[in-house]
Amino acid sequence: MDPIFVNLTTENLSDEHVCCIIRSKKPHPGIDAKRTWLANRLKEGHVFRKLNEKATVFIEYAPLETAWVPIVGDNYYYIYCLWVLGNYKGKGYGKSLLEYCVNDARQKGKSGICMLGAQKQKAWLSDQSFAKKYGFEVVDTTGNGYELLALSFDGTVPKFAPNAKIPKIENKELTIYYTMQCPYIYQNIEKIKQYCEINNVPLSLIRVNTLQQAKELPCVFNNWAVFYKGNFQTVNLLDVAYLKKILQK
C-alpha cells in the first residue's frame, strides 16, 4: 500500500503534529510557536507535507519571494527542511517528498527549486548529497563555506542577497538571530539564556519578525544564525559544548 502523506492547512494545523517534536499530551512552547508561525505562512503558499504517522518524515518549502531567507530570485521554491529520520530511512519517503515538491513546482510554472547547503554538511541543514542526486547544483557561494543549491527548470538561478555574504556585525556579544519556525528553537534559546546568565556571558537575542528583516540579514539563515565577536559562526542550533567552543574563540 502506498504511504499516505498529509499537507498541513489552516484547517488541520491545530490537530496535526509537526514532525520535529512529536506531539505528546504535555504542551510544548516550541510547538505552539511553530504553529503560530505556520498559520501566517500557509496563507503565503508555504507547504508543509508529512507522512501520516508519528514520525519525522516531512518537507517544508515556500515561494522564494516569501521565504524568510536572505536569498533572492524570481519564481523559485525554497526548501527549508527535508527530513527522514530513524526507522523511516531507506523506504523511499525522501524521494517521494522531493518529487512532490518538484512536481508542484512544475505544475505551478516555477523556474526551479533551491535550498541552503554547505561545502561540509551541517547538522541542521537537509542532506545536500541527497539533493544533488536529483540534479541540484551549486549556483552561488558565500565565501565562508556555505552554498546555494538549485534545480533549475529554465536556466535561471537564484543567488544569495549581497548582505548574506558580509558575515560581520558591529555587536561583539554573543548574538543570535532566530525565528520560531523550528520547534527546537524555543528550548534552545532557554538553554542558552540560562548558561549565559550563570556564566555572565553577554547575550543579544534578535527575533526576526518580518520577511524584510529576514531578507536583509548579514549572513546565511535558515531560521537561526549565531555571531560572536562580530563574526558569523553557524546556522546550527547550539548545545552547551558547542556554545563553549564558540566562546573560547
Side-chain angles (χ1 to χ4, degrees), residues 40-215:
N40 294 313
R41 305 288 77 75
L42 290 173
K43 302 170 186 176
E44 302 167 350
H46 189 107
V47 175
F48 190 113
R49 182 173 176 81
K50 67 188 184 74
L51 187 67
N52 192 28
E53 295 187 27
K54 284 196 172 182
T56 304
V57 181
F58 72 101
I59 189 169
E60 189 171 0
Y61 61 91
L64 182 57
E65 292 84 352
T66 57
W68 287 31
V69 290
I71 297 169
V72 294
D74 294 325
N75 204 33
Y76 261 73
Y77 271 146
Y78 176 81
I79 297 177
Y80 287 104
C81 298
L82 173 57
W83 291 103
V84 177
L85 300 183
N87 295 331
Y88 293 88
K89 286 185 175 182
K91 300 181 184 297
Y93 294 140
K95 177 182 178 182
S96 294
L97 290 167
L98 184 56
E99 287 180 348
Y100 177 89
C101 178
V102 171
N103 291 335
D104 186 24
R106 290 188 182 279
Q107 289 173 7
K108 288 185 171 62
K110 297 293 183 183
S111 295
I113 303 165
C114 61
M115 62 185 289
L116 181 62
Q119 292 175 0
K120 183 178 179 181
Q121 179 69 44
K122 305 295 183 182
W124 288 88
L125 292 181
S126 300
D127 187 350
Q128 60 206 41
S129 63
F130 176 79
K132 288 178 179 178
K133 291 179 181 178
Y134 290 89
F136 282 75
E137 298 178 339
V138 177
V139 296
D140 200 6
T141 61
T142 61
N144 65 338
Y146 288 89
E147 300 174 335
L148 179 60
L149 308 180
L151 175 62
S152 178
F153 303 152
D154 61 9
T156 65
V157 294
K159 60 183 179 180
F160 288 114
N163 43 281
K165 298 185 177 184
I166 296 172
K168 289 185 178 294
I169 59 175
E170 292 185 5
N171 190 352
K172 304 301 180 184
E173 296 179 351
L174 176 66
T175 302
I176 299 175
Y177 295 90
Y178 69 98
T179 67
M180 283 300 178
Q181 179 183 357
C182 173
Y184 286 103
I185 285 177
Y186 183 92
Q187 63 189 42
N188 207 236
I189 287 288
E190 293 304 307
K191 288 180 181 178
I192 291 169
K193 286 168 61 176
Q194 183 179 35
Y195 179 87
C196 290
E197 289 172 3
I198 293 174
N199 294 278
N200 297 314
V201 176
L203 173 65
S204 293
L205 296 172
I206 303 174
R207 182 166 176 172
V208 178
N209 289 315
T210 67
L211 174 64
Q212 180 178 353
Q213 190 180 0
K215 293 292 187 186

